[in-house]
Amino acid sequence: QVQLVESGGGLVQAGVSLRLSCAASGGIFSSYAMGWFRQAPGKERESVAAISWSGGNIYYVDSEKGRFTISRDNAKNMVYLQMNSLKPEDTAVYYCAARRDYTGTRYYRGPYEYDYWGQGTQVTVSS
């Protein structure tokens, strides 16, 4: 059983940067593929970025390529989402998610593909 705790959200103005962190415990972190999702009010949860447990394969949703960066530190059991040039439409609850992966090279994009979720961290971007 993996426990995930997100942090780093907050209320910010448009144009600034935020780094979200996700701390994992209770499992062998380096064997889990990780993902970041967000859910805005009245909308479905959507994938933002995903990373294989090796860190060698990464996915970004097209709309965030070049603005968001996902990374992980397996020694610290952490995964990060660096978000630059934030926009009001980035306002959402951001979740990290984990799933066991035996390949080391796969990432996963769909929320249904993940087994473990954090409680989320709110990001609010004002214009």
Side-chain angles (χ1 to χ4, degrees), residues 24-74:
S25 61
I28 302 174
F29 181 68
S30 60
S31 64
Y32 285 84
M34 303 296 294
W36 282 100
F37 292 78
R38 65 186 177 190
Q39 188 165 18
K43 296 187 177 181
E44 293 186 353
R45 191 169 297 189
E46 64 171 348
S47 176
V48 175
I51 188 167
S52 62
W53 70 246
S54 69
N57 289 291
I58 290 174
Y59 160 81
Y60 296 104
V61 66
D62 286 345
S63 59
E64 307 311 342
K65 286 181 180 177
R67 265 194 331 127
F68 289 7
T69 302
I70 188 172
S71 61
R72 65 188 296 161
D73 185 337
N74 287 344

Side-chain angles (χ1 to χ4, degrees), residues 8-14 16-18 20 83 86 88 91-92 121-127:
L11 172 62
V12 298
Q13 289 191 325
V16 304
S17 298
L18 273 180
L20 305 183
M83 305 186 295
L86 282 164
T91 295
T121 186
Q122 176 70 48
V123 173
T124 302
V125 184
S126 63
S127 57

